[in-house]
Amino acid sequence: MVSRVIPVDVFDLVIFGGTGDLARRKVLPGLYRRFLAGQMPEDSRIIGAARGELTDAEWRAQVAGAIAEFVPKEKQDKTAIAGFLERLTYVPIDARGTTGWERLKELMRENVVRAFYFSVAPGLFGDIAQRLSDHGIADAWSRIVVEKPFGRDLTSARALNEVLARHFTEAQIYRIDHYLGKETVQNLMAVRFANILFEPLWKAEYIDHVQITVAETVGVDGRGAYYDKSGAMRDMVQNHLMQLLCLIAMEPPWHFDPDAVRDEKLKVIRALKPVLAQDIVRGQYAAGGGEPGYAEHAENSASRTESYVALKVAISNWRWQGVPFYLRTGKRLRARASEIAVTFKQPPHAIFDDAKGWHENVLVIRLQPDEGMHLWVMIKEPGPGGMRLMQVPLDMSFADALAEVSEDVPDAYERLIMDVIRGNQTLFMRGDEVEAAWAWTDPIIEGWESRDDRPQLYDPGSSGPEDALMLMHRDGRRWREIR
Ligand code: NAD
């Protein structure tokens, strides 16, 4: 199987914050890979716009450095890199000032897709939108890409939506959640809605519970001061975990169309029940293994910010009545692993005596590191010795099954940027979705603040705080091992 690369229309992509960390690590290396794959038309251009006074040559040298550092060696093709760098132009610009804007306007071409990637602090989004509009740079072909965090609560998210709406229509605004750009996440929709197999079972009658885990081994060192104002709930749950939950729980959309999909996701968020205090566990990693703990990384010895959170969530609709969704995410855990596990109920009547080997069917959707899906089923243990049962995985590992394709499978950022150029918003969050997610998250955070809640310490390299284990044990269930 060979992956098909369908070139997009000619575009001018302006990256505000083109010298920043995100642009260097993700956006520019991703664009290079799309160029290498032949997806970026010859005439397309990338314009870096940031505060530093760089020449084109200096920015190109920086981008060459980023490609050398963040693109795998086997993809570093000298001719292609030179061709890619030729497409780059740099404009020194001040998001809050007057410099650079007229130059940027002169560079813009008529009848070419214009995309503006806001890879800057969210505090600058409004300033940039305003200036693009004041200088007549934004036109009907324009679209903007905004990065997370989209607000820190409902009020700030609303304010941000309002600022952007003054200058752009909702159809022009692409709010990135890079989890939605992952191959497996989209495959989840394909598996659910392009097969008859799972959907009839996809409900409370047959599903016992769902676990969503996003575990990291890294701590917050280096960005502790920023993280300390955010915490796992704002940084991960309100966006990434919530999006995964929506894709698992949503009703089939009438069509694979941006608004049809997003309408169904929104209904899930609106149906989330408020979470009770006893159904939430917050944690903070302690010092260990020669590394400082969270508080030291955050440079705040009195910090009450959570680097880990686990929640039991309920969706009040017909499909999910009584099915708990357990979410957990944290830093400095035992392994880097993101997965969704859908655990089915046991058959209604056990005809085999081998109770020891009795297990549920589990559909595991792995997002990282080894993307793929595994369906755990019961079979007879091979060989003589009677009818003993064992659980084995039906492996749908994409890395193996789609080996040739996956060579060129774009990473999340690449795919999402190409979707922006194509004008496809399916994998981007709509304004009302983001606001609904904050409306659900806010009372949880406010509850902690009003109680002056203190996160429980957990050992680095562990699976998280003890109380998180209890959250499941209490219901007669257990978390899957983080690996
Ligand atoms: P950064 O601090 O590394 O880069 C900021 C960029 O903005 C620089 O290019 C700087 O020159 C430019 N800039 C700052 N002030 C400016 C001004 N007044 N006018 C014009 N340009 C200005 O930040 P980053 O890590 O690249 O993050 C950028 C955005 O992406 C933030 O919103 C961040 O939350 C988000 N984000 C970053 C990451 C990441 O991995 N770095 C991941 C997800 C989201």
Side-chain angles (χ1 to χ4, degrees):
M1 228 184 310
V2 176
S3 90
R4 282 185 303 151
V5 174
I6 302 167
V8 294
D9 289 340
V10 177
F11 63 85
D12 284 339
L13 171 64
V14 180
I15 308 174
F16 290 102
T19 55
D21 179 65
L22 180 69
R24 266 177 52 72
R25 284 194 310 113
K26 291 287 179 191
V27 181
L28 288 156
L31 284 162
Y32 161 72
R33 281 184 45 127
R34 289 298 89 211
F35 177 80
L36 184 67
Q39 197 165 24
M40 191 171 142
E42 274 293 303
D43 288 350
S44 297
R45 292 180 318 177
I46 299 162
I47 298 159
R51 222 165 23 173
E53 287 291 332
L54 303 182
T55 61
D56 285 351
E58 284 167 334
W59 190 51
R60 287 176 185 178
Q62 276 191 9
V63 176
I67 292 171
E69 195 174 344
F70 298 111
V71 173
K73 287 275 172 286
E74 65 276 13
K75 294 271 175 195
Q76 293 184 22
D77 177 298
K78 266 194 178 151
T79 318
I81 293 174
F84 177 72
L85 294 178
E86 271 175 31
R87 269 144 199 84
L88 306 188
T89 306
Y90 184 82
V91 182
I93 220 158
D94 182 356
R96 294 212 160 117
T98 51
T99 50
W101 296 98
E102 282 307 313
R103 165 95 204 284
L104 184 60
K105 185 176 181 177
E106 283 160 21
L107 285 172
M108 294 287 105
R109 294 174 292 176
E110 293 302 317
N111 300 331
V112 164
V113 170
R114 287 183 195 179
F116 301 98
Y117 198 121
F118 291 13
S119 183
V120 293
L124 297 176
F125 291 176
D127 297 292
I128 296 176
Q130 176 81 46
R131 280 162 181 74
L132 285 173
S133 163
D134 288 352
H135 290 267
I137 301 171
D139 65 0
W141 291 74
S142 301
R143 52 212 69 174
I144 59 170
V145 185
V146 291
E147 266 296 338
K148 86 168 206 189
F150 199 87
R152 56 172 283 109
D153 53 21
L154 177 58
T155 311
S156 53
R158 255 192 202 141
L160 209 46
N161 274 334
E162 278 166 20
V163 165
L164 298 179
R166 271 181 229 144
H167 310 288
F168 298 94
T169 64
E170 183 61 34
Q172 293 178 298
I173 304 172
Y174 291 72
R175 295 175 193 78
I176 280 216
D177 184 323
H178 71 272
Y179 269 61
L180 292 180
K182 288 181 185 290
E183 184 75 6
T184 325
V185 170
Q186 291 169 75
N187 239 315
L188 173 59
M189 285 191 273
V191 164
R192 273 196 68 189
F193 302 130
N195 297 287
I196 190 71
L197 209 57
F198 294 106
E199 210 45 31
L201 303 180
W202 212 257
K203 53 178 143 177
E205 205 179 340
Y206 299 107
I207 291 182
D208 179 71
H209 75 280
V210 176
Q211 296 185 23
I212 303 179
T213 301
V214 176
E216 296 175 280
T217 49
V218 292
V220 301
D221 30 331
R223 60 181 204 114
Y226 157 79
Y227 188 91
D228 204 41
K229 295 194 200 80
S230 166
M233 193 72 190
R234 286 191 172 101
D235 192 48
M236 298 297 291
V237 176
Q238 185 274 344
N239 37 56
H240 306 316
L241 276 82
M242 184 83 85
Q243 289 295 322
L244 299 179
L245 170 81
C246 285
L247 295 179
I248 290 284
M250 73 188 202
E251 296 299 318
W254 76 271
H255 191 244
F256 192 61
D257 152 282
D259 277 325
V261 171
R262 297 185 300 175
D263 285 347
E264 296 306 335
K265 281 162 54 196
L266 179 62
K267 286 184 206 162
V268 174
I269 303 175
R270 290 199 171 139
L272 291 176
K273 284 193 190 157
V275 185
L276 304 173
Q278 73 248 31
D279 289 336
I280 309 178
V281 177
R282 298 168 79 216
Q284 212 181 61
Y285 61 82
E291 285 276 323
Y294 174 85
E296 195 173 322
H297 278 154
E299 296 165 24
N300 177 7
S301 58
S303 173
R304 303 223 159 156
T305 303
E306 75 287 354
S307 61
Y308 175 101
V309 66
L311 313 100
K312 178 180 167 185
V313 173
I315 301 172
S316 47
N317 64 18
W318 277 37
R319 186 187 281 264
W320 297 114
Q321 212 41 241
V323 181
F325 283 69
Y326 299 93
L327 318 184
R328 64 177 163 169
T329 179
K331 300 199 176 286
R332 293 225 70 199
L333 295 176
R334 57 183 300 167
R336 174 175 171 262
S338 299
E339 65 170 39
I340 304 167
V342 179
T343 301
F344 292 87
K345 288 187 172 160
Q346 300 200 352
H349 170 65
I351 66 164
F352 301 106
D353 294 332
D354 183 12
K356 196 160 43 75
W358 200 243
H359 294 287
E360 313 94 346
N361 296 125
V362 187
L363 176 66
V364 179
I365 300 127
R366 284 285 282 191
L367 303 165
Q368 61 192 25
D370 40 352
E371 284 201 53
M373 293 195 197
H374 309 270
L375 178 63
W376 290 84
V377 293
M378 298 304 296
I379 61 163
K380 178 193 167 295
E381 204 174 285
M387 191 65 181
R388 283 171 303 151
L389 302 177
M390 65 183 287
Q391 201 184 30
V392 292
L394 281 180
D395 196 336
M396 297 180 264
S397 166
F398 306 131
D400 299 338
L402 307 176
E404 271 180 72
V405 178
S406 60
E407 264 288 283
D408 265 330
V409 167
D411 92 344
Y413 272 93
E414 296 169 45
R415 179 193 315 277
L416 292 173
I417 296 169
M418 291 299 108
D419 278 358
V420 172
I421 306 300
R422 283 195 201 94
N424 185 338
Q425 289 187 304
T426 311
L427 301 176
F428 296 83
M429 292 178 295
R430 210 167 54 189
D432 51 3
E433 256 185 275
V434 178
E435 289 185 15
W438 280 122
W440 178 78
T441 316
D442 275 1
I444 298 174
I445 298 174
E446 283 160 13
W448 296 336
E449 286 170 356
S450 67
R451 291 194 304 275
D452 209 7
D453 188 82
R454 202 182 273 274
Q456 199 182 19
L457 287 178
Y458 61 92
D459 289 332
S462 71
S463 301
E466 281 292 312
D467 283 0
L469 304 181
M470 289 313 297
L471 181 73
M472 288 289 252
H473 282 186
R474 189 175 85 191
D475 293 347
R477 301 186 175 99
R478 60 195 154 86
W479 291 107
R480 289 171 52 77
E481 202 181 319
I482 298 177
R483 61 193 160 93

